[in-house]
Amino acid sequence: MQDFRDEDKLGKGYDGQLMRRLLVYLRPYRLYVGLALLLLLVAAAAQLATPYLIKIAFDDHIAVGDQDGLMLIAIQLLGIMCLEFFTGYGQIRIMEWIGQSAMFDLRQKIFNHIQSMHLGFFDKNPSGRLLTRVTSDVNALNEMFASGVIDILGNIVTLVGIITVMFVLSPKLSLVTFIILPLIVGATFVFRKRVRDSYREIRIMIAKLNAFTQEHLAGINEIQSFVQERKTMDRFEGVNTELMYQHKRSILYYAVFFPIVELIGAISLALIVWYGGGQVVQEVITFGTLVAFIQYVEMFYRPIRDLAEKYNVLQSAMAAAERVFNILDTKSDISVPEHPKPLTNFTGAITYSDVNFSYNKDQRILHDISFDIKPGEKVALVGATGSGKTTSVSLICRFYDIDNGSIKFDAIDIRDLDPQVVRAQIGLVLQDVFLFSGSIRENITLGNESISEEQMMAAAERVGLAPFVDRLENKYDHRVGERGGSLSVGQRQLISFARALAYNPPVLILDEATSSVDNETEFIIQKAIKKLFEGRTSLIVAHRLSTIEEADKILVYHKGRIVEQGKHEELLKQQGVYWRLYQLQYQDQEVTRAT
Amino acid sequence: MSLTPNQSGQKTLRKYYRKYLWYFLGGIVVLAGANVFLGMSPWLLREAIDSLENPSLESLAPTDAFYGMQHAMAQTATGVLPWFALAIVSVTLIAGVFRFFARRTIIWASRDIEFELRNEVFNHLLKLSSRFYQRTPTGDIIARLSNDIESVRLMVGPAVMQLINTVMVSIVAFYYMIKISPTLTLYALIPLPLLSIAMWQIGQQTHRRFMKIQDHFSTLSTFVQESMAGIRVIKAYRREKYQQKKFEGVNREYVRLNLDLVKVRALLMPTIVFLVRVVVLIVILIGGGDVIKGTITKGEYVAFMAYLLMLVWPMLAIGWVISLYQRGTASLARLDNLLREVPDITSPAEPVHPPQIAGALRFSGLSFTYPDSNVQVLHDIDFEVKPGETLAIVGATGSGKSTLISLLMRTYPIPDETIRIDEIDINRMALDDLRGMIGFVRQDSYLFSDTIAANIALSQPKVDMDAVHEAAQVAAFENEVESFPQKYDTILGERGITLSGGQKQRAAIARALLKQPRILILDDAFSSVDTQTEELILERLKASRGNITTLLISHRPSTIRRADRIIVLDGGTIVERGTHDELIAKQGRYYEIIRRELLSSELEMLD
Ligand SMILES: Nc1ncnc2c1ncn2[C@@H]1O[C@H](COP(=O)(O)OP(=O)(O)OP(=O)(O)O)[C@@H](O)[C@H]1O
Ligand SMILES: Nc1ncnc2c1ncn2[C@@H]1O[C@H](COP(=O)(O)OP(=O)(O)OP(=O)(O)O)[C@@H](O)[C@H]1O
Ligand SMILES: [Mg+2]
């Protein structure tokens, strides 16, 4: 088994594809992208006009001492400024709106996708890591969605504009200016690779840190009662250190990169002064042109620098995108048939034939399991711990797919049915109780509006939860805390039991549903269930044999095989595994009967 | 929004600022250096331009820094130009080296601060008790530990660097601007007060709105975390659609809050750009006039403009700094909330160190109500357990059994002298001593996603495989683990999800046994273990750890009757006590509770 705490490093050279996939999320907003771009163009034009106006101010007015003309220029500038303000504001709002909307879509998509994954996926991915994918990895894409694409387009447009103006003003001088452009491109590429590598590591480390935090705070009780605060702290520090180290690595790249870009800009400026200055002296160009050029170079290098910076910042987004798409590309192992067969009037007959199953390839858990449940039968699964009972019942819900053999509902293979239809037939009380941090009511109905208040309360009544709830101040609105932490374990189990009853399914599966409940309450529940589920199929996993004796059929599990099956009396007669199990309880009874 | 959380938050940061003071001071020096050199570039430009206009150097002030250099090289304008070009490149190069060190100091330190702050918060979290965790979802804490710490870092690192840079650029630029023309500089400063008022307003709004975003981010994280952890239930009951709908609501609200912030934030840049342009306008009008009048030269005018432009980006960056500062303080307040949470369970100042624990327990007059709840769970509990004795606690669901024994671990504060071990009040013992001597198997025990060996050896600094084998052996777990392909190196899923229910419980039992505790607590520790295996474990336990005091909670008569004595809890009160036989004979509450189990078997006996 692969160490599930580690994430696989992804292959490289994913870029173009990645970008294209990200852009898909902008497609629904392309009109707005267009609008933002338009505003950006206006703003860029306004920006471009300013040095030009200054040039005119210089050559036409200041040089000849024309105060009024200068005033006119000022008024024009004022107009441009107002234009710039409003287009700027509008553009930022639209861009952010687009970005937020795209992130909303993506976040929703990842969440939905993860929810649709098969259970094996969750066995291998800690919830803290999945949380990171939905939250901070998506947020890391903000830069890219909100401003990235538009800024890049905008910068390119601005560049083209500047280049045009410069060429119009003086082609020669322009050529001299652009001669070192390849240097910038080269520098950017060199840095891109390095920075991306450290961002990749950073994304992994963040997920690791979150998973660690999630896990160890959820287990804080264990840490404290085993006095493991120090060790936990040390390990946290270890992960934290790795994260810091990667961050620092990226700092170094940036620290080198930016000055280099600036230096390249200065070389350009120097060339203009040298060559352009000479041209002014030779009166090839005017003095104003030189001044305008100097400003344009400033302006020219800014978007370039921006582009280069954005490009590198985008590396962070790309690293996050890699992880996000990696999840989106992982398909659920449980395939939904294209044309699922209908399951009409399900009678409750369930057949297992020669089922083999393994969670991981190297360890088979179930071997040739075959049994037959007739409609309305009560079947009990017994056997030592780890013998495969829970596994067997979870296969009925199609949580995992079997290796070979078949499981059938009324002679239809469950793989030919829609898993949703399969699960709709079953009320499953899991061995591992899970409660959400809402109210008791929400935990019973799980937000299903078709369950009326009466049905919900009736279910609570049946499992003997009602007296407890009545004593609570807020009754069914009582909040149970994360994982039901403010309730006793037995109470949590009762709620999860009530849940199954409230859904009133054709088939009931109880996986040690009352293991932490006292005998009295258990007895009450049993009576209630018996009445309620008369004529319905049920599967019961239990260790207390008193729960089992009345079953129509008992399946005795041993190391992943069914070693005996039959009715209670038959099995006792066989004097096999079941008989031995029973002996223990029998002994027990002798003691008490003697008194 | 009151300022108090802000200020106390800054107090949290102060020690880090102090610790990394040298980095920040270094950053200031280095940024000053960078800007001094960068500031020379427009000046060189001025000289270059003026040399075009007027090749003679007579007009230059003799104090000028480049006087000598220029004097030497200035023969003709064209002759001098390459030297200017070279000078421009050189100063930028020098400035670049300084800039490198600016990042290397300030940003570097900010990563260190982030690292240490995160450690500090996590370390603090480890000290907090159940009470805190009862009301704080882990998703919320994760949000703070990742998202909020990052925004605090942006405040102490990039924002500080940018701020210093802006100040330095301003000083340098103003120095040259004043040098060129004091009056023109004064005019250029006119819009400054307007700028600061606008910034202040926007900043205030940012803080408030960002706080809301972060709070909601916690909600979102909590929801996602829970939806992942509860996936089995969601799938079994086909609630995927419902969860997705619910998430959509949470998600939408997050977007709404973000856009709410954008409304304000979007004003920031255009406002600054506008005001900067106003300055440019003023300079064109007045400065242009000055050139016409001849009060300043063309070169000076161009240089003045260049300095002004030099100021534009740092000014824009100020907008960014304000935004980061406001976010940082909002996040800092959220972190500070965690840090100000006082651990309510701590070791006493002068703890009693019991020399040798015999394992006698005495509960006297213990009553208990969960904090944040108003129902009393335990009433006046009195009982004692002799060293080496096994006591079973029996009672209906919710009668207070788990509460009673968890108090022994000081999970919640209890009055003095209500629980004693070897006649020492547990409130007077060091927490580590107390918790170290008790092996506690919780009812819903928690395993880590680590190897089986590491889980069992949780209490050890280093995994000692012999001890692991021994403990697993007693917990009847050894053979099963050996049958796994990876044996003890099998890595478990989150919460031990890849083990069966009974395997998890036995791993937890082994883990508690490996601690070699003086007192063993088994809270319903066999509920998922079959009776046969349970018997086996209890037998081995008796054989290998016969002399340790044991508290046992169980619903199984077969387990309970093994205890030396039994107490029966009902609604938080001890209603009966005695041995199994005594209590059966009494036909009271105990008999009532376990009768069912006997009855159904008895019926069977008649067949
Ligand atoms: N998600 C999983 N991934 C990998 N292995 C698993 C997973 N769940 C269970 N197993 C393994 O499958 C085997 C059977 O487990 P299962 O939960 O079916 O046992 P069980 O009979 O229900 O036991 P118990 O009575 O203890 O609940 C065990 O060895 C367990 O370690
Ligand atoms: N953290 C908590 N905050 C508030 N109330 C709590 C908390 N934990 C438990 N309770 C309540 O205290 C009562 C006693 O709970 P406790 O867990 O001690 O019961 P128990 O006897 O162990 O039950 P079980 O047999 O179900 O494990 C219950 O009514 C429960 O709802
Ligand atoms: Mg309990």
Side-chain angles (χ1 to χ4, degrees):
Chain A
M1 187 168 137
Q2 181 211 346
D3 185 341
F4 100 128
R5 296 165 302 179
D6 285 338
E7 286 191 75
D8 15 316
K9 305 232 160 64
L10 296 169
K12 308 186 173 170
Y14 205 38
D15 268 23
Q17 218 185 337
L18 212 56
M19 197 66 195
R20 220 168 308 137
R21 290 187 68 177
L22 281 172
L23 288 181
V24 169
Y25 289 87
L26 286 179
R27 193 176 295 157
Y29 310 104
R30 54 181 178 275
L31 271 181
Y32 294 92
V33 172
L35 187 60
L37 210 54
L38 196 71
L39 290 177
L40 192 89
L41 286 185
V42 175
Q47 230 186 340
L48 273 180
T50 314
Y52 188 71
L53 284 176
I54 296 177
K55 167 189 149 34
I56 295 181
F58 238 102
D59 286 352
D60 300 356
H61 308 297
I62 298 178
V64 296
D66 173 11
Q67 277 278 14
D68 295 344
L70 206 56
M71 201 65 200
L72 204 70
I73 297 275
I75 291 170
Q76 285 170 2
L77 273 177
L78 196 67
I80 287 175
M81 280 156 53
C82 292
L83 190 67
E84 218 180 357
F85 179 83
F86 289 110
T87 49
Y89 182 71
Q91 183 216 342
I92 296 176
R93 292 260 326 242
I94 294 173
M95 280 184 349
E96 290 282 345
W97 181 83
I98 296 168
Q100 290 292 336
S101 303
M103 284 197 297
F104 171 88
D105 296 343
L106 188 58
R107 213 178 278 127
Q108 193 72 36
K109 182 154 185 199
I110 304 169
F111 183 84
N112 293 358
H113 183 76
I114 295 179
Q115 288 275 297
S116 75
M117 289 305 284
H118 57 284
L119 279 181
F121 176 80
F122 294 91
D123 292 346
K124 298 202 167 62
N125 286 286
S127 57
R129 182 192 300 168
L130 298 178
L131 172 69
T132 314
R133 296 289 167 267
V134 183
T135 58
S136 63
D137 281 351
V138 175
N139 284 359
L141 291 173
N142 183 26
E143 198 89 27
M144 141 102 213
F145 280 141
S147 48
V149 175
I150 295 167
D151 271 5
I152 289 176
L153 287 177
N155 280 332
I156 291 175
V157 170
T158 316
L159 280 179
V160 171
I162 295 174
I163 293 175
T164 317
V165 176
M166 283 166 83
F167 266 96
V168 169
L169 284 176
S170 164
K172 266 194 186 157
L173 201 50
S174 306
L175 280 181
V176 171
T177 317
F178 302 141
I179 230 162
I180 51 174
L181 212 54
L183 277 182
I184 295 240
V185 177
T188 308
F189 271 88
V190 170
F191 285 106
R192 182 201 69 125
K193 208 184 118 16
R194 307 271 152 94
V195 167
R196 170 75 75 88
D197 281 349
S198 60
Y199 277 127
R200 278 203 182 100
E201 291 296 324
I202 287 170
R203 293 323 306 175
I204 294 176
M205 294 319 300
I206 289 177
K208 208 167 171 180
L209 197 77
N210 283 350
F212 186 92
T213 312
Q214 146 67 26
E215 192 183 5
H216 288 80
L217 293 183
I220 187 79
N221 272 329
E222 251 56 36
I223 290 168
Q224 290 180 344
S225 51
F226 283 84
V227 203
Q228 290 306 301
E229 290 93 339
R230 281 212 69 89
K231 195 162 101 185
T232 311
M233 189 62 222
D234 287 347
R235 289 181 54 198
F236 179 83
E237 221 175 295
V239 185
N240 200 5
T241 309
E242 278 183 66
L243 178 64
M244 178 186 61
Y245 170 74
Q246 291 302 338
H247 274 310
K248 285 187 171 172
R249 220 175 80 178
S250 73
I251 294 176
L252 282 185
Y253 297 144
Y254 276 99
V256 174
F257 179 70
F258 286 114
I260 284 188
V261 173
E262 211 146 279
L263 186 66
I264 296 173
I267 294 177
S268 224
L269 183 66
L271 285 176
I272 290 183
V273 168
W274 184 358
Y275 182 76
Q279 296 232 308
V280 171
V281 172
Q282 293 158 26
E283 294 188 348
V284 180
I285 56 172
T286 67
F287 188 69
T289 303
L290 182 66
V291 174
F293 243 87
I294 290 170
Q295 294 196 9
Y296 278 124
V297 167
E298 251 302 290
M299 277 178 82
F300 179 78
Y301 274 94
R302 194 176 307 140
I304 292 255
R305 202 160 51 205
D306 267 15
L307 272 180
E309 174 174 5
K310 275 265 149 53
Y311 193 67
N312 281 336
V313 170
L314 277 190
Q315 300 310 313
S316 160
M318 290 294 192
E322 281 176 356
R323 307 245 70 105
V324 164
F325 287 130
N326 188 28
I327 285 227
L328 287 179
D329 291 343
T330 314
K331 291 280 168 277
S332 175
D333 279 357
I334 305 292
S335 55
V336 181
E338 219 165 295
H339 303 289
K341 289 188 181 158
L343 183 72
T344 38
N345 300 323
F346 179 46
T347 61
I350 298 171
T351 324
Y352 257 67
S353 25
D354 298 317
V355 171
N356 284 298
F357 174 74
S358 44
Y359 288 103
N360 302 299
K361 285 195 185 57
D362 51 359
Q363 188 192 18
R364 177 151 287 184
I365 302 290
L366 295 181
H367 308 264
D368 306 318
I369 300 286
S370 298
F371 59 83
D372 218 342
I373 304 174
K374 296 188 188 67
E377 261 188 341
K378 305 220 168 325
V379 176
L381 285 71
V382 301
T385 127
S387 57
K389 308 177 293 292
T390 302
T391 305
S392 292
V393 296
S394 61
L395 292 180
I396 300 182
C397 302
R398 209 169 162 222
F399 281 162
Y400 301 89
D401 266 344
I402 54 182
D403 298 346
N404 47 48
S406 68
I407 301 174
K408 291 189 176 122
F409 278 17
D410 277 355
I412 307 173
D413 194 307
I414 57 170
R415 281 168 295 192
D416 295 333
L417 294 167
D418 183 345
Q420 295 277 320
V421 172
V422 172
R423 289 168 199 159
Q425 311 308 316
I426 298 164
L428 174 65
V429 183
L430 291 158
Q431 185 175 20
D432 247 327
V433 174
F434 185 90
L435 298 190
F436 294 91
S437 57
S439 63
I440 294 181
R441 175 185 296 103
E442 281 164 3
N443 269 296
I444 295 178
T445 65
L446 294 177
N448 188 339
E449 276 155 16
S450 66
I451 296 172
S452 70
E453 185 76 7
E454 287 73 38
Q455 286 168 322
M456 186 273 299
M457 278 163 64
E461 190 88 47
R462 289 210 173 87
V463 299
L465 195 64
F468 163 68
V469 175
D470 285 340
R471 267 180 280 130
L472 295 170
E473 200 177 344
N474 300 322
K475 309 282 178 226
Y476 288 95
D477 291 322
H478 181 79
R479 305 196 68 81
V480 302
E482 195 171 22
R483 280 188 173 250
S486 73
L487 299 177
S488 90
V489 176
Q491 287 161 348
R492 288 179 224 168
Q493 214 166 33
L494 293 181
I495 290 178
S496 103
F497 205 135
R499 188 187 280 161
L501 297 189
Y503 272 73
N504 200 21
V507 175
L508 189 65
I509 299 182
L510 306 176
D511 190 358
E512 298 186 25
T514 49
S515 63
S516 297
V517 173
D518 62 281
N519 300 324
E520 238 177 335
T521 313
E522 191 189 22
F523 187 73
I524 295 169
I525 298 174
Q526 268 176 21
K527 265 201 337 216
I529 302 284
K530 205 165 163 183
K531 244 185 33 221
L532 192 65
F533 278 80
E534 192 67 65
R536 279 189 249 183
T537 307
S538 56
L539 280 90
I540 299 166
V541 181
H543 288 303
R544 280 189 239 174
L545 294 189
S546 63
T547 326
I548 295 161
E549 288 164 346
E550 293 173 28
D552 297 313
K553 183 180 283 169
I554 298 169
L555 309 174
V556 184
Y557 276 75
H558 186 68
K559 299 199 166 155
R561 295 174 201 276
I562 295 183
V563 289
E564 290 168 15
Q565 55 177 303
K567 276 193 186 316
H568 177 67
E569 303 83 35
E570 297 166 11
L571 293 178
L572 279 187
K573 280 198 205 100
Q574 285 184 17
Q575 302 225 336
V577 178
Y578 184 77
W579 178 77
R580 276 205 305 281
L581 281 175
Y582 191 76
Q583 284 300 303
L584 279 159
Q585 300 246 322
Y586 179 75
Q587 271 173 23
D588 218 25
Q589 211 178 322
E590 282 267 281
V591 179
T592 33
R593 267 157 58 92
T595 57
Chain B
M1 182 93 264
S2 84
L3 279 172
T4 5
N6 261 358
Q7 283 157 356
S8 76
Q10 293 295 349
K11 206 171 286 169
T12 309
L13 276 186
R14 199 164 302 154
K15 61 174 173 293
Y16 293 116
Y17 280 133
R18 203 168 297 147
K19 178 163 176 194
Y20 291 97
L21 189 65
W22 288 109
Y23 281 84
F24 286 103
L25 289 181
I28 291 176
V29 169
V30 155
L31 279 172
N35 283 301
V36 164
F37 282 94
L38 278 183
M40 286 176 185
S41 174
W43 193 259
L44 287 170
L45 207 59
R46 182 213 118 163
E47 301 291 351
I49 288 172
D50 279 347
S51 77
L52 294 179
E53 281 282 280
N54 174 19
S56 82
L57 291 165
E58 257 60 73
S59 64
L60 278 180
T63 50
D64 186 78
F66 305 104
Y67 181 77
M69 182 174 86
Q70 279 157 6
H71 191 78
M73 64 196 179
Q75 295 307 321
T76 64
T78 34
V80 90
L81 280 174
W83 292 107
F84 278 121
L86 188 64
I88 287 175
V89 173
S90 322
V91 293
T92 313
L93 184 65
I94 297 170
V97 174
F98 277 116
R99 288 237 162 157
F100 169 85
F101 283 104
R103 272 178 195 274
R104 181 63 182 71
T105 49
I106 298 178
I107 307 282
W108 200 263
S110 79
R111 286 294 176 194
D112 279 314
I113 292 178
E114 173 195 15
F115 168 77
E116 285 179 31
L117 183 61
R118 189 177 282 126
N119 281 346
E120 181 185 347
V121 175
F122 190 78
N123 199 14
H124 186 75
L125 286 169
L126 287 175
K127 292 192 199 106
L128 297 178
S129 71
S130 304
R131 178 172 184 183
F132 169 80
Y133 288 100
Q134 205 79 66
R135 57 185 157 76
T136 319
T138 42
D140 178 12
I141 300 176
I142 292 177
R144 291 177 202 230
L145 225 45
S146 56
N147 214 3
D148 285 311
I149 288 201
E150 174 62 17
S151 80
V152 169
R153 187 202 69 93
L154 286 174
M155 173 172 74
V156 296
V160 167
M161 184 173 86
Q162 206 43 256
L163 184 69
I164 297 175
N165 191 47
T166 300
V167 171
M168 293 302 162
V169 172
S170 306
I171 292 175
V172 170
F174 281 126
Y175 166 76
Y176 285 109
M177 281 160 75
I178 291 171
K179 199 163 157 180
I180 292 170
S181 165
T183 41
L184 197 53
T185 310
L186 211 59
Y187 282 121
L189 286 179
I190 289 174
L192 211 59
L194 269 177
L195 192 67
S196 23
I197 293 172
M199 301 278 191
W200 174 252
Q201 283 298 328
I202 294 172
Q204 287 290 302
Q205 290 290 325
T206 305
H207 184 92
R208 225 169 32 105
R209 293 175 193 218
F210 187 69
M211 195 83 163
K212 277 201 192 134
I213 292 179
Q214 293 302 78
D215 283 348
H216 191 74
F217 186 77
S218 280
T219 312
L220 185 120
S221 301
T222 304
F223 182 85
V224 173
Q225 200 276 321
E226 208 166 55
S227 303
M228 303 302 163
I231 192 70
R232 264 159 223 268
V233 173
I234 292 171
K235 288 214 179 279
Y237 290 90
R238 295 168 297 123
R239 304 313 293 160
E240 293 101 327
K241 287 267 143 37
Y242 172 72
Q243 287 298 108
Q244 290 170 7
K245 264 232 118 49
K246 226 169 150 182
F247 180 69
E248 203 174 311
V250 181
N251 195 2
R252 204 171 287 289
E253 175 69 5
Y254 185 59
V255 168
R256 192 187 68 75
L257 289 172
N258 268 297
L259 289 179
D260 231 27
L261 175 64
V262 168
K263 272 185 214 159
V264 182
R265 218 184 52 199
L267 276 175
L268 206 60
M269 289 301 164
T271 306
I272 299 175
V273 171
F274 185 83
L275 290 172
V276 167
R277 292 266 187 257
V278 170
V279 175
V280 173
L281 195 64
I282 293 173
V283 172
I284 287 184
L285 270 182
I286 298 176
D290 285 349
V291 176
I292 293 172
K293 275 182 261 154
T295 19
I296 58 174
T297 66
K298 274 191 197 172
E300 283 173 333
Y301 180 66
V302 172
F304 197 88
M305 287 294 262
Y307 284 117
L308 215 52
L309 285 179
M310 213 171 121
L311 276 175
V312 173
W313 285 100
M315 281 298 165
L316 285 182
I318 282 290
W320 188 66
V321 167
I322 287 178
S323 177
L324 288 188
Y325 174 77
Q326 294 299 346
R327 287 156 176 250
T329 49
S331 284
L332 193 59
R334 282 164 50 80
L335 287 173
D336 206 48
N337 279 343
L338 289 185
L339 287 173
R340 272 189 304 172
E341 195 73 44
V342 183
D344 55 353
I345 294 166
T346 48
S347 294
E350 285 168 27
V352 182
H353 295 288
Q356 177 80 50
I357 289 292
L361 289 176
R362 184 197 295 278
F363 285 66
S364 32
L366 174 65
S367 294
F368 180 74
T369 306
Y370 277 102
D372 312 316
S373 132
N374 47 16
V375 186
Q376 190 172 341
V377 178
L378 296 176
H379 307 267
D380 206 16
I381 301 292
D382 263 304
F383 69 89
E384 66 181 286
V385 189
K386 296 191 191 69
E389 202 181 26
T390 299
L391 178 88
I393 304 173
V394 182
T397 288
S399 56
K401 308 178 292 293
S402 301
T403 307
L404 175 62
I405 51 177
S406 69
L407 291 179
L408 189 57
M409 295 294 272
R410 288 194 63 199
T411 41
Y412 290 93
I414 47 160
D416 282 346
E417 305 294 336
T418 45
I419 304 180
R420 274 170 285 198
I421 294 178
D422 287 355
E423 294 309 316
I424 304 170
D425 179 6
I426 60 168
N427 284 348
R428 287 170 52 215
M429 294 186 186
L431 270 185
D432 290 2
D433 284 350
L434 173 71
R435 290 177 176 166
M437 71 174 90
I438 300 173
F440 191 7
V441 185
R442 248 164 237 286
Q443 202 168 10
D444 51 344
S445 51
Y446 185 98
L447 299 178
F448 295 93
S449 55
D450 207 332
T451 61
I452 293 180
N455 265 289
I456 294 179
L458 181 65
S459 54
Q460 291 181 321
K462 254 190 118 92
V463 180
D464 166 9
M465 279 316 288
D466 290 341
V468 170
H469 282 297
E470 197 267 346
Q473 180 69 33
V474 177
F477 194 32
E478 169 93 353
N479 292 342
E480 239 158 309
V481 177
E482 293 292 348
S483 79
F484 295 157
Q486 252 88 53
K487 308 211 170 12
Y488 283 93
D489 292 331
T490 309
I491 289 171
L492 305 182
E494 191 168 21
R495 286 180 178 260
I497 193 75
T498 49
L499 288 183
S500 86
Q503 289 167 346
K504 267 186 268 188
Q505 284 191 323
R506 281 172 296 152
I509 294 171
R511 179 172 71 183
L513 290 177
L514 190 137
K515 216 173 163 183
Q516 300 291 354
R518 289 306 311 146
I519 298 165
L520 182 65
I521 300 178
L522 301 169
D523 185 358
D524 213 3
F526 303 103
S527 62
S528 295
V529 177
D530 58 289
T531 329
Q532 208 168 8
T533 312
E534 179 184 353
E535 288 292 317
L536 195 65
I537 299 171
L538 289 170
E539 286 301 333
R540 288 185 185 166
L541 203 56
K542 196 162 189 172
S544 70
R545 311 277 205 284
N547 57 343
I548 66 175
T549 311
T550 310
L551 290 181
L552 191 71
I553 295 178
S554 174
H555 293 296
R556 285 187 199 160
S558 55
T559 318
I560 300 165
R561 71 182 170 79
R562 293 172 152 271
D564 298 317
R565 279 184 312 121
I566 297 165
I567 59 175
V568 183
L569 273 184
D570 193 14
T573 316
I574 298 181
V575 289
E576 280 176 17
R577 50 185 97 204
T579 64
H580 176 77
D581 294 344
E582 284 165 19
L583 292 177
I584 288 289
K586 201 169 159 193
Q587 304 239 332
R589 180 80 186 122
Y590 178 73
Y591 179 71
E592 217 172 283
I593 290 174
I594 71 165
R595 186 187 56 162
R596 309 287 181 191
E597 193 78 353
L598 305 174
L599 209 63
S600 51
S601 312
E602 258 164 0
L603 285 173
E604 201 50 53
M605 285 299 293
L606 299 177
D607 288 355

